[in-house]
Amino acid sequence: MFLGQREGDNKPPATIMLAEANFGAYPMSNGLTRLGSRFIANTADLEQAKSERHHLLDAERAQKLGLITFALDDIDWDDEVRVFLEERASFSPDGLTGLEANLRFAGPETMESKIFARLTAWQNWIFQRPNAVGEDGALKRYGTGQQPVYDTRRV
């Protein structure tokens, strides 16, 4: 999240606001809300975030509450976003599917999360795709010192 304002920009600083929907209206497959999954190890942090609902939270406050991963200022923003995008572009699109599944299905495991997180994402998508098992795929080149060649299109 951008911290403060860009020099010469007349837009107000970025803010977020939590509402009731963040705390129960849309449970995930593990029975928790998204914020409940984010704060799974510490219910006190979840309660602190809950006490801030309906307030505009700037980047600094949102980071202190654990609601965002990074609060970057004008000096760091462009470089950090560039590095983030370059790192993600270096991953196999199929591998990113697995990373996303791991984040989406965190927390207590249920039958639904087993099916949609592990079985579907990993076995039926990632390990069977050309980016993994193709001639130039990650699993074929693992340990060889050669970089895999990824097809970035979803096929």
Side-chain angles (χ1 to χ4, degrees):
M1 186 171 174
F2 196 85
L3 181 61
Q5 293 176 279
R6 284 195 180 264
E7 189 175 327
D9 193 348
N10 65 353
K11 292 190 287 285
T15 58
I16 62 173
M17 182 186 296
L18 299 174
E20 296 305 320
N22 296 107
F23 300 96
Y26 306 104
M28 297 171 59
S29 63
N30 61 18
L32 301 173
T33 64
R34 290 184 188 276
L35 285 178
S37 289
R38 183 171 179 91
F39 295 117
I40 198 161
N42 194 339
T43 55
D45 286 347
L46 180 62
E47 289 305 314
Q48 187 175 11
K50 197 177 228 182
S51 72
E52 295 284 344
R53 66 184 167 234
H54 306 298
H55 295 108
L56 287 175
L57 305 172
D58 64 11
E60 188 174 355
R61 183 70 182 138
Q63 188 175 31
K64 284 181 183 172
L65 289 169
L67 297 170
I68 61 171
T69 306
F70 298 108
L72 302 169
D73 61 17
D74 196 26
I75 294 171
D76 296 326
W77 181 265
D78 291 335
D79 285 335
E80 292 293 332
V81 170
R82 178 187 54 78
V83 168
F84 169 82
L85 293 173
E86 288 172 357
E87 286 174 346
R88 294 319 179 271
S90 73
F91 294 156
S92 159
D94 303 327
L96 288 172
T97 299
L99 292 173
E100 189 262 343
N102 286 344
L103 292 172
R104 180 173 292 182
F105 295 100
E109 193 161 65
T110 64
M111 186 55 70
E112 186 176 312
S113 70
K114 285 179 186 178
I115 293 167
F116 291 108
R118 285 191 299 181
L119 297 176
T120 301
W122 290 99
Q123 292 175 1
N124 298 335
W125 182 258
I126 298 163
F127 293 137
Q128 302 304 318
R129 309 302 289 174
N131 285 333
V133 294
E135 211 41 53
D136 298 320
L139 295 176
K140 292 281 187 168
R141 291 195 168 180
Y142 181 77
T144 67
Q146 295 178 318
Q147 289 285 67
V149 177
Y150 298 131
D151 182 352
T152 58
R153 298 169 296 155
R154 292 287 181 181
V155 284

